Amino acid sequence: MRVVILSCFVSVSVLFLTNSLNLANAFFLSILLVGLPGLAIVQMGMADLSTISRKQAYLTSGLAIILIGSLALGLGLGMGGPGGMSHYVELGNWLGEIFVALVLTILGIGLLLAFSILRRKIGLKETEVVRQLMPVTNQEKLFFSGLSVCAGLGEEIAYRGYAMSTVIMAGGSATLAVTITSLAFGLTHSYQGVIGICRTGMFGLMMGFALLYTESLWALILAHTLIDLVVGLVLAEKLLD
């Protein structure tokens, strides 16, 4: 844990002293790219759901994700200049957004199925935490649906909208922004094990390059939400088998 705190301190110092980011953005970007991934790695394998209900896990996770997304939205919209986050939240052709979202949903589900096949080929199993987090009862599925909406909104705003645009504004290339944010996004899902980190990182790459192409967060938010819903409510047994 001390290594994570020290790494965050170094990251904040470098970002604040070497470019035009103010302290608030340097700190929050460091939390997203260093702090949360580091904390997830530290906690990997330590999660114990025996003392917490699925509904409680969905509720607390959803609130945390929405909080992070709200902070990212506020900080991101407060940064002006070209390449900022503000143009990513402008809604253009909503029919086009829905079409892109459906394409991304199909690609995302295909990616998950490909990793499921790969996992079986190499003899790996999903972690017990992943298995325990899948909803079973109708009430749990309702709460999981709420978590899916929160994840679609909060994670896309934070890691694609805010983090990518902030890395670019700090002097990084678009490709570097996609790569760094996808790696961090994958590591924040360390509770899913190595296969889950790789899977989520690849998902982040797909969404990151989609953002560069579409310059809109709305299709990504809708696709992310739909993918989580399909996985948790329809494909859970198939993907976990």
Side-chain angles (χ1 to χ4, degrees):
M1 189 64 186
R2 285 178 292 182
V3 174
V4 176
I5 295 174
L6 178 60
S7 299
C8 278
F9 177 77
V10 172
S11 176
V12 171
S13 301
V14 171
L15 288 171
F16 180 62
L17 295 174
T18 61
N19 55 69
S20 59
L21 292 183
N22 61 31
L23 185 58
N25 283 296
F27 178 77
F28 192 65
L29 184 61
S30 296
I31 291 297
L32 290 178
L33 300 185
V34 179
L36 293 180
L39 184 62
I41 293 172
V42 170
Q43 294 180 333
M44 183 168 54
M46 297 172 56
D48 182 10
L49 296 181
S50 61
T51 59
I52 187 172
S53 70
R54 290 188 183 92
K55 290 184 292 183
Q56 187 176 351
Y58 300 153
L59 181 61
T60 54
S61 297
L63 290 175
I65 293 170
I66 284 297
L67 175 60
I68 291 171
S70 298
L71 290 172
L73 185 63
L75 287 170
L77 294 180
M79 289 191 297
M85 180 180 168
S86 58
H87 72 284
Y88 291 145
V89 298
E90 296 175 359
L91 181 60
N93 180 1
W94 62 272
L95 284 176
E97 299 281 1
I98 292 175
F99 175 76
V100 173
L102 291 176
V103 172
L104 288 174
T105 300
I106 294 170
L107 292 175
I109 293 173
L111 177 66
L112 293 174
L113 291 173
F115 267 95
S116 180
I117 295 171
L118 175 63
R119 177 178 58 78
R120 294 188 185 98
K121 290 289 185 181
I122 60 181
L124 291 178
K125 293 183 178 180
E126 294 288 354
T127 65
E128 188 60 28
V129 175
V130 172
R131 293 177 177 275
Q132 290 296 324
L133 283 175
M134 290 297 103
V136 176
T137 68
N138 288 334
Q139 191 175 47
E140 287 173 353
K141 291 178 179 179
L142 180 62
F143 275 76
F144 183 87
S145 298
L147 173 60
S148 298
V149 175
C150 292
L153 279 166
E155 291 182 344
E156 292 307 316
I157 289 173
Y159 278 96
R160 252 63 70 182
Y162 173 80
M164 278 182 54
S165 61
T166 306
V167 169
I168 293 171
M169 293 186 73
S173 66
T175 300
L176 178 65
V178 173
T179 303
I180 290 177
T181 57
S182 298
L183 176 61
F185 185 65
L187 290 173
T188 59
H189 293 76
S190 293
Y191 68 91
Q192 297 181 15
V194 175
I195 196 74
I197 293 172
C198 296
R199 177 176 56 208
T200 312
M202 288 294 294
F203 178 81
L205 285 173
M206 181 185 77
M207 291 301 211
F209 283 114
L211 180 63
L212 295 180
Y213 178 76
T214 64
E215 296 190 338
S216 174
L217 274 170
W218 296 107
L220 278 63
I221 290 171
L222 179 56
H224 191 144
T225 301
L226 289 174
I227 291 169
D228 284 359
L229 287 172
V230 171
V231 168
L233 305 183
V234 181
L235 296 179
E237 292 186 8
K238 182 175 182 62
L239 293 174
L240 293 176
D241 184 20

